[in-house]
Amino acid sequence: MEAQREKRHSCGTICLKYLLLLFNIIFWLAGGAVLAVGVWTLVEKSDYISLLNSSFYSASAYILIAAGVIVIVTGIIGCCATLKEMKSLLIVYLCLLLCIFLLEIIAGVLAYITYQELDDQLTQNLKVTMQQKYQQPGEESVTQAVDKLQQEFKCCGSHNSSDWIDSVWIQGNERLVPDSCCKTPSDLCGRRDHPSNIYKVEGGCIMKLEEFILSQLYILGAVGIGIAFLQLVGMMFTCCLYQNLKEDPY
């Protein structure tokens, strides 16, 4: 009877080890994906940072990168703890999972609050930034960001193309809008602001930029929910394995 119970115990422990190893592999891959998204966000979309008076955009990218690194390291610790059957290392692993889970909840709440503030800032400040800083000395990053924004999102002006009428640069120029407003950009193409020549988008670039930032939040949210679900599963497996393992002499 005792031998049978020991055999069942061993089978249960082995199954839990394999399940936890599988979880850690998935968790490690998820961390790599989060890290990749963070790096992509920072490298490909960093031009828009100069248009925002908030550090939210760059901060969200760095949060993703940091989260990816932490998840990868945690996954490695989990694999070591599982393979070596060290209860002390399993406790460290469980604490790390719990900390990341709590941080995700805090980050989610802060992201929602920050987005509301960012939305107000965009409405109030993007028009002024585009009118007063575009093509001005020392504002090369803003100029580059505006041109990229208008071309990539196929928009013109903060709310519409008429916003450029009050631009400091346009007033001393023969163009009505920047050349980046044109559907087919070329030198001096901004002299004609007909809908056949430039982008006429209802809501302008503010709406497009808001949609983009919101989509980034959805990515953050989806990644957070996915990892949070994995963590709950991982914590459950870790607790079960901890209970099934013999006392670790170390």
Side-chain angles (χ1 to χ4, degrees):
M1 180 74 81
E2 184 68 24
Q4 229 177 358
R5 188 165 64 248
E6 184 67 25
K7 185 178 179 181
R8 283 198 301 270
H9 174 78
S10 299
C11 288
T13 301
I14 291 170
C15 287
L16 282 170
K17 280 182 64 177
Y18 280 117
L19 284 171
L20 195 52
L21 278 173
L22 178 62
F23 161 78
N24 277 298
I25 291 171
I26 296 172
F27 196 54
W28 188 83
L29 292 173
V34 171
L35 180 61
V37 170
V39 172
W40 173 81
T41 300
L42 200 60
V43 172
E44 292 295 321
K45 307 297 181 181
S46 59
D47 289 336
Y48 301 138
I49 294 172
S50 58
L51 298 177
L52 307 174
N53 291 337
S54 170
S55 60
F56 163 77
Y57 183 77
S58 55
S60 66
Y62 285 119
I63 288 171
L64 282 176
I65 292 171
V69 172
I70 293 170
V71 167
I72 289 172
V73 172
T74 302
I76 293 171
I77 292 173
C79 285
C80 293
T82 305
L83 289 171
K84 293 185 177 182
E85 298 186 3
M86 294 177 63
K87 296 185 78 173
S88 56
L89 201 54
L90 278 174
I91 292 174
V92 173
Y93 175 61
L94 185 62
C95 289
L96 284 172
L97 286 178
L98 185 59
C99 287
I100 297 172
F101 183 75
L102 293 174
L103 285 173
E104 283 171 352
I105 294 174
I106 294 170
V109 173
L110 289 177
Y112 176 77
I113 294 171
T114 306
Y115 175 72
Q116 302 304 314
E117 296 175 356
L118 191 60
D119 189 42
D120 293 338
Q121 285 184 9
L122 276 175
T123 303
Q124 295 170 12
N125 300 321
L126 185 59
K127 182 177 179 179
V128 175
T129 299
M130 293 172 79
Q131 289 179 341
Q132 296 183 0
K133 295 183 178 182
Y134 184 77
Q135 292 287 8
Q136 298 305 300
E139 300 293 350
E140 288 78 14
S141 61
V142 172
T143 300
Q144 183 180 355
V146 170
D147 286 336
K148 184 175 180 179
L149 176 68
Q150 295 189 142
Q151 275 296 297
E152 190 168 327
F153 292 138
K154 296 178 170 49
C155 58
C156 183
S158 54
H159 293 91
N160 51 61
S161 59
S162 62
D163 291 334
W164 285 109
I165 295 173
D166 298 321
S167 166
V168 174
W169 178 70
I170 289 293
Q171 288 175 357
N173 200 288
E174 56 184 308
R175 296 172 179 82
L176 296 175
V177 295
D179 294 338
S180 57
C181 280
C182 299
K183 295 179 179 178
T184 306
S186 61
D187 192 34
L188 297 177
C189 68
R191 289 181 297 184
R192 194 167 67 91
D193 62 353
H194 191 271
S196 63
N197 183 51
I198 68 169
Y199 294 114
K200 294 276 190 178
V201 179
E202 188 66 33
C205 291
I206 283 181
M207 183 189 71
K208 292 288 187 177
L209 193 52
E210 283 177 344
E211 288 175 354
F212 169 72
I213 293 172
L214 191 58
S215 70
Q216 293 297 103
L217 280 179
Y218 285 147
I219 292 173
L220 281 170
V223 167
I225 291 170
I227 292 180
F229 175 76
L230 282 175
Q231 285 170 288
L232 289 174
V233 174
M235 284 188 277
M236 181 182 68
F237 286 155
T238 304
C239 289
C240 292
L241 182 61
Y242 182 87
Q243 293 297 323
N244 278 272
L245 286 176
K246 294 178 180 179
E247 287 295 331
D248 185 357
Y250 301 101

